Amino acid sequence: MCRNMHSIILAPFAIRPSRSIKMFSFEKINNQVLNRIECPGTEKHYRVTLPNGLPENVPDVLKDGENRYSIMIETYLPLADRIRNFQVYEDDVWVVTFPKCGTTWTQEMVWLLNNNLNYDFARKHSLEERFPFLELTGALTLIGGDSVTEVEQLARPRHIKSHLPAMLLPDQIWTVKPKIIYVSRNPKDATTSFYHHYRNIVGYDGPREHFFDAFLGNNLIYAPFGGHVKDYWKLRDQENVATFLGKTFTDQEVDVLEEHLSVDSMRANKSCNMDALVEWAKKVNYSEERRQNDANEFRFIRNGKIGTYKSDMSEDYIERFNEFEKDLTENIGCSFNF
């Protein structure tokens, strides 16, 4: 049923001549579902594939013969080869997620755990500075800068954020084997959070239903969600994060950290609440009409609760997402109990 639903939602690709850079193939996508959600922050979407398959050194669990792809925007294209050849170090710590799956919260937690709960330093230095986003300039059309170089120049040990699927990670990930922490979320909450992100950061002004259709049809940046989760699930590690990082803490220290990571505390924390990004988006990605009329009080850290999709989705969309989730979980052997 879910596959049939996808065939209804996803209009046929109208492929323009492909562009290839070494081991990548980029095909410009043009379909009705995607065209309805393109906006200033994410323009010109491409289907990225690896015509020669995954690198030889990937773990055997990924050598399954599947034809993988990912949807990215045009500003990612010049970064693809640079990221593929990115220098990886054994003491790197990566946090990887599909967008809007608890990334910021996890970054703050991991950085503090790995830096012996140095709250004073964390308050004085933004999360973007401590834990930068590798492909940022390839994920927001108008952001500018060179995020890959910024990460390359970090002092070690580096903390690196990415939303890239496993197929687009640096080759050296598989041989150097740094620590990677992957976080996922139930698709309904991830989608509604992503919708609010698109509306308030990316500049999307359309109805939420069009956005939900794009998610279900695997048209959004970093899609497909299912493929993203599936590959990292195959690479899963069951260790507790602190143990994984080689750290131990007292119950009292954990209690203090838990309070620091509460939604209210994170919203008030200028080093990680992303207020500056929200203000940038209002100036750069909002339409003139919206800047004048939208009394928006959006916060990047919205509510951190499970089940908020119920206030954004109709019963019809909830049912469609339930089928989407069922198809995914039956395929990969895990469930979203969160």
Side-chain angles (χ1 to χ4, degrees), residues 223-265:
F225 177 85
H228 204 287
V229 174
K230 182 178 180 180
D231 275 353
Y232 285 105
W233 177 250
K234 289 180 177 180
L235 299 166
R236 65 191 178 276
D237 191 310
Q238 302 293 340
E239 291 183 271
N240 173 275
V241 173
T243 305
F244 183 56
L245 294 172
K247 305 288 183 177
T248 57
F249 299 97
T250 66
D251 289 345
Q252 183 178 4
E253 288 173 324
V254 172
D255 289 342
V256 173
L257 178 61
E258 184 178 350
E259 173 57 30
H260 177 84
L261 296 171
S262 69
V263 171
D264 288 343
S265 178

Side-chain angles (χ1 to χ4, degrees), residues 1-11 213 216-218 320 323-324 327:
M1 181 175 179
C2 191
R3 284 188 290 271
N4 291 337
M5 177 189 67
H6 285 184
S7 67
I8 294 171
I9 293 172
L10 182 58
D213 288 344
L216 289 168
N218 294 324
R320 290 166 68 179
E323 291 295 330
F324 175 90
D327 186 65

Side-chain angles (χ1 to χ4, degrees), residues 121-138:
F121 187 94
R123 280 190 290 269
K124 294 176 181 177
H125 300 269
S126 72
L127 190 59
E128 298 99 314
E129 180 183 349
R130 293 180 279 124
F131 216 130
F133 183 4
L134 177 63
E135 73 276 9
L136 173 62
T137 48

